[in-house]
Amino acid sequence: MKANNERIQKSVEELSEFTKTPGNGVTRLSYSKEDLKARKYIKEKMKEYGLAVKEDGLGNMFGKLEGKMKDAPSVIVGSHFDSVPNGGAYDGAAGVIAGLEVAALFQQNKLTPNYPLEVIAMIEEEGSRFRGLMGSSGITGSIKESDFKDVRDFDGVSATEAMSNAGLDKSLPTYRDPQTIKAFLEMHIEQGPILEENDIPIGVVQSIVGLTQLNVTITGRAGHAGTTPMDKRSDAVMAATNIISKLPQLAINEGNNTVLTVGRLQVSPNAANVIPDDVNFTIDIRSGKEEHILNVLKNVREIIRSYNSSGIKTSVEQRLYIKPKALSEDIHSILSGACANLNISHCTMNSGAGHDAMVFSDVTDVGLIFVPSKNGLSHCPEEFTHEDDLARGANVLYETAKKLTEG
Ligand code: GLV
Ligand code: MN
Ligand code: MN
């Protein structure tokens, strides 16, 4: 039995209902009401497909199918179920649904593997509330459990407080001994145009870009917009926009597909007739090579520092730093072999987006496949992947999970 296109499509539609912004894309931030509804839905599906459900101290979910071998490490399949604000129905969700579909196929085909199969649905990959890749980083130990209380959202609420407010059990263990993991497999939408433009249904990923994210604060002095002469102002917006206007050129000068984005900007007090005293913005820098990230980072810091004066103070907090990651060559060849056996054409590619797969690659063998994104769009309501493409991806994962759970 192969992946069921209708079942997959139904799950995509049902999961996308859990959004704070109906009619304007999926907005599902970690520990929100929408998270809780999606969480319930995913756990029900896990149980329906014969999996034993567990959560951890960050709210990641695991559904386990025991293997014949006692205490053997698991092959984990899945992705994240949080979203960016006004994002699409597929980023992360498609990978969780593909993991569930793999479990459904194990059940329908009455397979009892040697090694356990686990379907995973992770929180906070996007970092839209707390920090990018937080769920997987908690599992692998790159964020320590003692630090969960120090990871705060933009309103100052910590991850542990937010979990308690949502009624989740923050006292559960989160870190997993890598010895309990045999491999991690993820299907994700490509979020770019290459597969669609070349009419190739599957991309087998060999490496993922490195990235850093900064939170920059510019502090000036508030004052009256009508009565304060122009030469007597410490205007935080003017300093911030002068800085921001210089940043894209740093990535362009660096070249080699280095990219830089200022994606979030908050002005205080944000009133038409008040000179702003505080601006907060994020900077996201990415490249396939660490040296390019580090060069741009150094130049960004220098530019920001040069705006310090008697009236303006700047500060830079590094919220995330993760090196470019190469994925397992062995799993790459198993995934490619599965595509060949299923008669699905595929190509090898690199990822410009960050993924939980890159965090797992520090502790275990990792495989990541991409399925096509319509018009290359993602992180927007128009994000779309055809159910036939999702099903093809699920079949490749199923074949690979079967092989990896055998021996
Ligand atoms: C996740 O989508 C990221 O690449 O930031
Ligand atoms: Mn994603
Ligand atoms: Mn994303």
Side-chain angles (χ1 to χ4, degrees):
M1 196 118 31
K2 290 259 165 57
N4 181 323
N5 304 32
E6 275 168 34
R7 177 167 59 197
I8 290 174
Q9 182 58 23
K10 191 160 174 277
S11 292
V12 169
E13 284 164 20
E14 287 174 345
L15 203 46
S16 73
E17 293 290 310
F18 308 125
T19 171
K20 196 174 180 203
T21 50
N24 194 12
V26 173
T27 303
R28 191 163 51 239
L29 301 194
S30 299
Y31 316 133
S32 61
K33 285 196 194 79
E34 298 72 37
D35 167 322
L36 294 179
K37 288 183 194 159
R39 179 178 295 280
K40 182 162 173 283
Y41 176 86
I42 292 167
K43 287 201 280 191
E44 276 164 13
K45 288 284 165 204
M46 285 175 169
K47 286 182 199 149
E48 187 182 327
Y49 302 146
L51 307 175
V53 177
K54 266 195 183 162
E55 280 168 280
D56 67 16
L58 269 182
N60 295 303
M61 288 177 276
F62 304 82
K64 186 168 183 181
L65 173 66
E66 281 299 346
K68 288 181 198 138
M69 293 192 307
K70 266 222 153 317
D71 298 324
S74 300
V75 174
I76 304 182
V77 188
S79 189
H80 62 96
F81 72 102
D82 65 316
S83 80
V84 294
N86 304 100
Y90 298 84
D91 180 354
V96 172
I97 291 164
L100 290 169
E101 187 63 21
V102 169
L105 293 176
F106 269 75
Q107 186 185 52
Q108 283 183 339
N109 294 328
K110 298 191 173 37
L111 286 184
T112 308
N114 290 329
Y115 289 83
L117 172 79
E118 283 187 61
V119 177
I120 192 169
M122 282 171 279
I123 56 116
E124 194 66 10
E125 186 270 350
E126 301 289 4
S128 301
R129 181 164 183 190
F130 293 101
R131 204 205 90 139
L133 304 164
M134 187 171 97
S136 45
S137 299
I139 296 168
T140 60
S142 53
I143 308 180
K144 297 205 176 30
E145 295 186 16
S146 56
D147 293 336
F148 296 169
K149 60 180 185 335
D150 301 323
V151 185
R152 294 188 180 269
D153 68 11
F154 289 100
D155 296 322
V157 179
S158 73
T160 45
E161 284 160 357
M163 278 193 77
S164 296
N165 296 343
L168 297 168
D169 187 354
K170 61 183 193 306
S171 69
L172 295 168
T174 300
Y175 171 71
R176 267 183 82 142
D177 183 342
Q179 307 279 355
T180 67
I181 306 173
K182 184 167 189 274
F184 174 76
L185 300 174
E186 181 169 11
M187 183 190 97
H188 205 281
I189 55 167
E190 182 202 339
Q191 310 182 275
I194 296 170
L195 293 175
E196 185 183 59
E197 276 173 7
N198 293 286
D199 200 17
I200 299 175
I202 299 283
V204 184
V205 178
Q206 67 178 2
S207 71
I208 305 180
V209 284
L211 67 108
T212 189
Q213 284 176 356
L214 309 176
N215 192 23
V216 183
T217 305
I218 312 292
T219 312
R221 198 176 51 243
H224 195 290
T227 57
T228 317
M230 291 308 281
D231 62 349
K232 299 246 165 359
R233 297 178 176 214
S234 297
D235 183 331
V237 160
M238 287 307 138
T241 51
N242 279 327
I243 292 170
I244 291 169
S245 69
K246 297 194 165 82
L247 300 182
Q249 196 59 42
L250 298 178
I252 295 167
N253 291 349
E254 190 67 25
N256 296 291
N257 298 323
T258 309
V259 288
L260 181 152
T261 306
V262 174
R264 182 179 190 277
L265 192 77
Q266 256 190 334
V267 176
S268 169
N270 213 20
N273 57 355
V274 184
I275 299 165
D277 65 348
D278 191 275
V279 175
N280 197 278
F281 62 93
T282 55
I283 306 176
D284 177 300
I285 306 164
R286 302 182 184 212
S287 172
K289 283 220 177 99
E290 189 178 19
E291 62 179 281
H292 300 305
I293 300 174
L294 295 176
N295 288 342
V296 174
L297 182 59
K298 181 169 155 285
N299 294 335
V300 165
R301 284 187 188 279
E302 268 169 25
I303 287 184
I304 295 174
R305 208 177 302 122
S306 73
Y307 277 80
N308 277 317
S309 67
S310 57
I312 296 287
K313 291 278 160 286
T314 68
S315 75
V316 178
E317 178 204 359
Q318 190 167 36
R319 282 176 82 94
L320 181 63
Y321 183 81
I322 185 155
K323 293 180 186 189
K325 297 285 162 73
L327 304 184
S328 157
E329 287 177 18
D330 289 347
I331 299 198
H332 187 285
S333 65
I334 299 174
L335 287 164
S336 305
C339 292
N341 290 341
L342 292 163
N343 236 336
I344 301 173
S345 65
H346 67 281
C347 64
T348 291
M349 52 195 306
N350 298 320
S351 174
H355 294 292
D356 291 310
M358 70 199 297
V359 177
F360 277 95
S361 72
D362 286 339
V363 299
T364 191
D365 286 342
V366 165
L368 172 65
I369 56 167
F370 284 162
V371 289
S373 290
K374 186 169 181 215
N375 298 324
L377 291 173
S378 182
H379 282 186
C380 56
E382 293 76 21
E383 188 176 272
F384 177 77
T385 297
H386 197 280
E387 63 201 68
D388 294 350
D389 285 319
L390 297 174
R392 268 189 277 271
N395 282 326
V396 172
L397 280 193
Y398 172 62
E399 291 302 323
T400 306
K402 232 172 30 171
K403 188 160 178 117
L404 289 171
T405 53
E406 261 161 29

